[in-house]
Amino acid sequence: RGVPLYRDFRIDNQTLQSLTFTARGSTTTATSGPPATTAATAATTTDELASQIVNLQAVYGHDTSTPRDGTADAWNNTAPTTQDGWNRVVAVRIALVARSTQYEAEEITAAHPSDCTTLTAASNYPKWMPDGSTYRCLKVSTLTDYRHYRYRVFEIVVPLRNMIWQT
């Protein structure tokens, strides 16, 4: 209770993992005489969330309008460097690529495109729209026999309500 947490998500060995870093501050216990103090400690735990996850991407949605209207006008993966920049982040768009466990005898996934900006909705390669309008590759070509598996892309936009409702 009251302990700050930091969560990090990563893919390790085709498994989506959540790393939780817990920072524990110094605590003081009342005793007769001087108070006893315990040293600060930190803990890290790793939880496996899902297997066969092969790619995870995210971009920030920035409100670039003046005055601000709470709508993401630009999407990119560049972290803001100023307080005003962070105040303008109103959403996060996340894409996750899951791979089937079934190895297919025939190649069923297209080869990695030489130009990921030419992808269309019909393209048979994992893709997403990080800016909401243009398809981009979600790279799986580094995986062994990647063309012999099926992939599903899950994409979501998470509005940061506390940022949208600020005045």
Side-chain angles (χ1 to χ4, degrees), residues 75-164:
W75 294 89
N76 60 52
N77 62 356
T78 305
T81 58
T82 65
Q83 184 62 44
D84 182 60
W86 281 112
N87 288 342
R88 290 181 172 276
V89 175
V90 296
V92 177
R93 184 184 303 264
I94 301 168
L96 181 134
V97 182
R99 183 177 82 169
S100 71
T101 57
Q102 176 66 43
Y103 179 89
E104 303 286 344
E106 299 292 322
E107 291 183 348
I108 55 173
T109 297
H112 183 81
S114 59
D115 181 6
C116 287
T117 61
T118 61
L119 290 174
T120 65
S123 300
N124 182 14
Y125 190 84
K127 60 194 165 294
W128 74 315
M129 292 199 262
D131 62 1
S133 62
T134 308
Y135 286 105
R136 296 285 184 249
C137 292
L138 287 163
K139 193 170 187 175
V140 296
S141 59
T142 57
L143 302 170
T144 304
D145 292 333
Y146 77 95
R147 295 183 70 184
H148 291 270
Y149 290 92
R150 296 181 191 275
Y151 300 90
R152 172 150 305 162
V153 177
F154 298 92
E155 188 175 342
I156 188 168
V157 174
V158 181
L160 305 176
R161 294 185 306 186
N162 55 334
M163 299 307 290
I164 294 170

Side-chain angles (χ1 to χ4, degrees), residues 50-94:
S51 62
Q52 297 302 322
I53 305 301
V54 296
N55 199 329
L56 175 67
Q57 300 293 318
V59 292
Y60 300 106
H62 303 272
D63 180 356
T64 60
S65 58
T66 303
R68 296 178 196 167
D69 61 3
T71 301
D73 306 305
W75 294 89
N76 60 52
N77 62 356
T78 305
T81 58
T82 65
Q83 184 62 44
D84 182 60
W86 281 112
N87 288 342
R88 290 181 172 276
V89 175
V90 296
V92 177
R93 184 184 303 264
I94 301 168

Side-chain angles (χ1 to χ4, degrees), residues 19-40:
L19 281 72
T20 304
F21 303 95
T22 306
R24 300 195 196 294
S26 297
T27 58
T28 303
T29 308
T31 62
S32 59
T37 303
T38 59

Side-chain angles (χ1 to χ4, degrees), residues 9-17 19 46 48 50-51 53:
F9 295 91
R10 71 177 184 187
I11 297 174
D12 187 21
N13 198 25
Q14 299 170 16
T15 301
L16 179 62
Q17 297 178 337
L19 281 72
T46 302
E48 292 188 356
S51 62
I53 305 301

